[in-house]
Structure formats: C-alpha cells, structure tokens
C-alpha cells in the first residue's frame, strides 16, 4: 500500500423519483401558499417516491449510476456503507438489501445514521478505511425516502422534504476527486430539536404512538435554522484551514440543500465567495436529507465544466445535531 496516497471519489450517481409534488399540490393538503414556501425556503417542488419505490430501491439506482461512472463492477466492491434515516426496515440494514440487489456478493455492508450529514460521515469513514488499506473500493450510498416519515398535516415541516438518493465510489486508484480533508462534529445536547419520537425502544409503535403522530419528523425549525448556519460555517472554515486551502481558491461550494435562506446566510459569511459559485438544487428537490449533498455534487459534475485542480467545498448539517464539511480537489 502507498502510505502517501489520498482516497478519491472515482464515480458519482444519483436518483430522483419521477413523481413531482409542487407547492400548489401542497396548498391542497395544508394551509400554506406557494408564495410562503418560495419566500421562506426557496423550494418550488420536490420528488416523491411512488408506491413500491423504497429507500433501498432508490439507493440501488444511484449505486448503479455511480458504479458505471467509476467503471467499477459490483464484484469489485468490498464494502457498502449506507447513510440513511429512513431505512426500509429497522433491521436488516438497507446496506444488506442494496448489496444483494446490485450483486456485490463479497462486500461487507452496514448502515450508519447521521441524518442529513450522513453523506459526509460516510465519506470520512470510507476515506479512512481506503487509506488504511483495509478496503479497496467502497460504495457509499445516501438514499432517503422522507415522504415515509413526513406528516402531511404539519405545514411547518411537510413543505420542506422530498425523496432521492445519491452514491459514490471511494478508492485509491482511478481518477476523480481527491478527498483532501473531512471535518465532522456533533452536539447531542440539542438532540431533541429535530427527531422522530416513535418507533425506537423508548416509544415502540402502538395505537397511541400513531395517534400522536410520533412516527413522523418533529422539528423546532427556528432553532435548527440558527444552528445550521453557525455549524456549517464553522465546519467549513475549519475544514479549509486544515486542508490549507484559502476560500479564494474554492471553485464550487456544494451545501446541504435544506433552505435557500440557510445557504445564502452561510455564503454571506465568506468574504470572497460569489453567489454563483454556490451550487443549488433545493428549488427542485427540497430537502432530501443524507442524499442532498451527493445529489448536488453529482449534478454539479455532470452539468458544469470542472477544471483540473478545482477545489470543491461540501458542507452539511442535520439531526443529532450533526454537521460536517469536506474539501475535494479535482484531479
Ligand atoms: O435538514 C436539516 C435541517 N433542517 C433545516 O435546516 C430546516 C431549518 N428551518 C427552516 O428552514 C425554517 O425554520 C422553516 C422553513 C422550517 C420555517 O421558516 P421560518 O422563517 O423559521 O418560519 P417560522 O417557523 O418562524 O414561522 C413563521 C410563520 C408562523 O406563523 P406566525 O406564528 O408568525 O403567525 C408559522 O405558523 O409562518 C407560519 N408557517 C407557515 N405559513 C404558511 C409555518 N409554516 C408555514 C407554511 N405555510 N408551510
């Protein structure tokens, strides 16, 4: 093993369900308006998985796209790391379902849970494992079917979320995006600000838990908003510093897509970041949790001209609370 080599993302993929839910569709479900949703969040529409389309199903499509992009066969994958907060089942893991569906028979497989920061947590683990020589080709998958845990009677949350999946292949060999540095953090003291109260061992499913809507997302939106801005800013600056990259050198920023106002507030906290360098998908997909950074990264790579040595800054924030940032460099 070459001790000096850094792990790279050698292929990316994403998947969005076909079915579009617009703001006017939501106007028919709850007391809201297109004007409120667009001005408070920037979201115009989101994708909703169809009947029979699950987190694993979406994850499989994103994985197959990433494998094709990297030119790697399922048989060459030795680990599958799935970041999701909407697994098909509590157990077995969604990673095992995806392992079987793509035919990666010799891969070990596990789920991790870091909510909307899951893609970055998974990237960090994959980077360490690949650089240590423990695994060669890791498939990172971030699929989420938030529509399955959204309360479509709660206007303060239901307008925000959508379904989608992203994936990437992390390896030492091949060309792609060098993962220079990943910075992660968490604050469990704020755990209850954004959560699903039911379904775990504290409040197992019961007639009462269903009646109390405990199996859906509960969020203190205002509080979460403030933490999101602060934590993504500080994680990003810390990550840039440890990568030795000046903010002037950033070609693209790919932030978690939760709310356009969060993205704009963070962009303003950088002195040299022009708004058109901040890549956005929130208007068309809403917040797709763990998958969101990966979907945006995949779209960026497939729609924009990326130059050799371009630096890309990823940042994310979510329940836990958890947050993270990563500096990537295009080879
Ligand atoms: O992915 C990880 C993390 N998630 C986030 O980062 C989300 C963070 N939070 C947010 O994006 C924002 O806090 C929200 C979009 C959730 C809410 O925006 P806000 O500007 O913080 O609004 P608010 O909660 O302060 O509510 C303002 C008003 C309230 O009415 P009153 O009390 O002023 O009369 C709400 O009842 O807007 C009302 N409201 C709505 N009105 C129409 C809340 N939701 C809606 C709605 N349509 N969908």
């Amino acid at each position: 093993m070459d001790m000096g080599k850094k792990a790279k993302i050698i292929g990316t993929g994403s998947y969005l369900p076909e079915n579009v839910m617009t703001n006017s569709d939501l106007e028919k479900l709850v007391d809201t308006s297109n004007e409120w949703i667009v001005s408070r969040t920037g979201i115009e529409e989101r994708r909703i998985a169809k009947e029979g389309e699950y987190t694993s199903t979406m994850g499989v499509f994103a994985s197959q796209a990433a494998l094709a992009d990297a030119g790697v066969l399922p048989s060459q994958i030795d680990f599958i790391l799935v970041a999701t907060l909407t697994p098909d089942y509590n157990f077995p893991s969604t990673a095992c379902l995806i392992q079987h569906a793509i035919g990666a028979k010799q891969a070990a497989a596990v789920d991790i849970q870091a909510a909307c920061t899951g893609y970055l947590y998974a990237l960090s683990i994959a980077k360490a494992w690949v650089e240590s020589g423990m695994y060669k080709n890791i498939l990172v998958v971030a699929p989420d079917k938030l529509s399955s845990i959204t309360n479509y009677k709660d206007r303060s949350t239901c307008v925000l979320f959508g379904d989608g999946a992203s994936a990437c292949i992390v390896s030492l060999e091949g060309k792609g995006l060098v993962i220079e540095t990943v910075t992660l953090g968490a604050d469990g003291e704020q755990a209850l600000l954004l959560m699903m109260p039911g379904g775990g061992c504290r409040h197992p499913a019961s007639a009462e838990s269903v009646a109390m809507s405990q199996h859906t997302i509960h969020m203190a939106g205002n509080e979460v908003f403030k933490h999101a801005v602060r934590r993504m800013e500080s994680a990003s600056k810390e990550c840039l510093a440890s990568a030795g990259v000046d903010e002037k050198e950033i070609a693209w920023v790919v932030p978690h897509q939760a709310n356009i106002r969060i993205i704009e507030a963070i962009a303003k906290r950088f002195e040299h970041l022009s708004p058109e360098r901040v890549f956005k998908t929130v208007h068309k997909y809403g917040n797709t949790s763990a998958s969101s950074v990966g979907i945006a990264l995949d779209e960026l790579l497939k729609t924009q001209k990326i130059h050799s040595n371009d630096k890309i800054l990823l940042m994310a924030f979510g329940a836990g609370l958890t947050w993270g940032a990563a500096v990537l460099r295009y080879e």
Side-chain angles (χ1 to χ4, degrees):
M1 193 203 44
D2 181 347
M3 288 303 287
K5 265 193 171 177
K6 283 196 168 178
K8 298 168 210 171
I9 294 175
I10 59 163
T12 59
S14 58
Y15 173 78
L16 279 311
E18 266 172 38
N19 180 24
V20 174
M21 183 188 261
T22 63
N23 290 347
S24 70
D25 294 332
L26 283 160
E27 285 173 353
K28 290 168 201 136
L29 295 177
V30 283
D31 178 17
T32 189
S33 65
N34 177 53
E35 198 281 325
W36 191 95
I37 302 171
V38 171
S39 64
R40 306 310 292 166
T41 73
I43 301 166
E44 289 158 25
E45 54 186 48
R46 68 289 291 142
R47 302 297 180 88
I48 303 294
K50 63 175 187 251
E51 183 93 32
E53 201 167 34
Y54 310 116
T55 295
S56 63
T57 329
M58 295 191 290
V60 166
F61 287 133
S63 299
Q64 288 166 338
L67 287 162
D69 191 42
V72 167
L73 297 169
S75 58
Q76 295 173 290
I77 295 294
D78 44 17
F79 206 101
I80 300 175
L81 201 50
V82 172
T84 185
L85 53 66
T86 50
D88 284 32
Y89 308 107
N90 265 334
F91 71 93
S93 70
T94 301
C96 284
L97 304 181
I98 292 175
Q99 185 248 21
H100 171 65
I102 65 171
K105 282 196 181 353
Q106 60 307 301
V110 76
D111 287 3
I112 63 160
Q113 214 287 68
C116 302
T117 321
Y119 190 89
L120 290 182
Y121 268 74
L123 212 54
S124 174
I125 296 166
K127 172 179 165 63
W129 282 349
V130 158
E131 288 175 2
S132 76
M134 191 148 67
Y135 297 106
K136 280 202 173 78
N137 295 309
I138 298 185
L139 168 62
V140 167
V141 198
D144 261 315
K145 185 179 171 179
L146 292 182
S147 63
S148 69
I149 57 163
T150 296
N151 178 359
Y152 288 98
K153 291 184 176 131
D154 173 13
R155 68 175 182 175
S156 72
T157 55
C158 75
V159 302
L160 304 171
F161 303 114
D163 301 333
S166 57
C168 67
I169 313 292
V170 177
S171 180
L172 282 189
E173 306 305 328
K175 271 185 79 79
L177 293 159
V178 179
I179 308 168
E180 294 286 354
T181 312
V182 187
T183 303
L184 302 173
D187 179 10
E189 197 180 348
Q190 312 295 337
L192 304 189
L193 289 181
L194 176 50
M195 69 174 322
M196 184 165 84
C201 74
R202 291 206 193 194
H203 306 287
S206 63
E208 196 192 2
S209 72
V210 172
M212 289 167 71
S213 296
Q214 287 191 336
H215 302 280
T216 58
I217 300 168
H218 290 236
M219 176 168 72
N222 264 311
E223 282 301 301
V224 171
F225 189 109
K226 286 180 227 159
H227 286 287
V229 174
R230 262 187 249 136
R231 295 304 194 176
M232 278 194 276
E233 179 201 3
S234 59
S236 298
K237 290 185 174 170
E238 207 179 295
C239 192
L240 287 167
S242 72
V245 171
D246 190 273
E247 63 172 82
K248 283 183 199 144
E249 295 175 63
I250 308 169
W252 290 98
V253 174
V254 181
H256 173 48
Q257 309 284 323
N259 184 325
I260 195 107
R261 288 160 51 224
I262 295 177
I263 296 172
E264 287 169 356
I266 295 166
K268 276 197 206 126
R269 291 167 177 232
F270 286 86
E271 253 178 84
H272 304 285
L273 188 65
S274 56
E276 67 275 11
R277 300 276 103 188
V278 182
F279 198 73
K280 299 181 200 89
T281 58
V282 66
H283 54 291
K284 48 186 183 173
Y285 307 140
N287 181 348
T288 60
S289 192
S291 70
S292 105
V293 169
I295 291 171
L297 178 64
D298 186 46
E299 275 202 25
L300 170 80
L301 297 173
K302 284 165 190 164
T303 61
Q304 305 296 317
K305 179 98 192 90
I306 312 294
H307 303 94
S308 178
N309 251 350
D310 273 359
K311 315 276 192 316
I312 300 174
L313 173 67
L314 311 182
M315 59 175 93
F317 174 88
L321 302 172
T322 56
W323 56 85
V327 172
L328 310 178
R329 180 174 56 81
Y330 191 67
E331 268 188 334

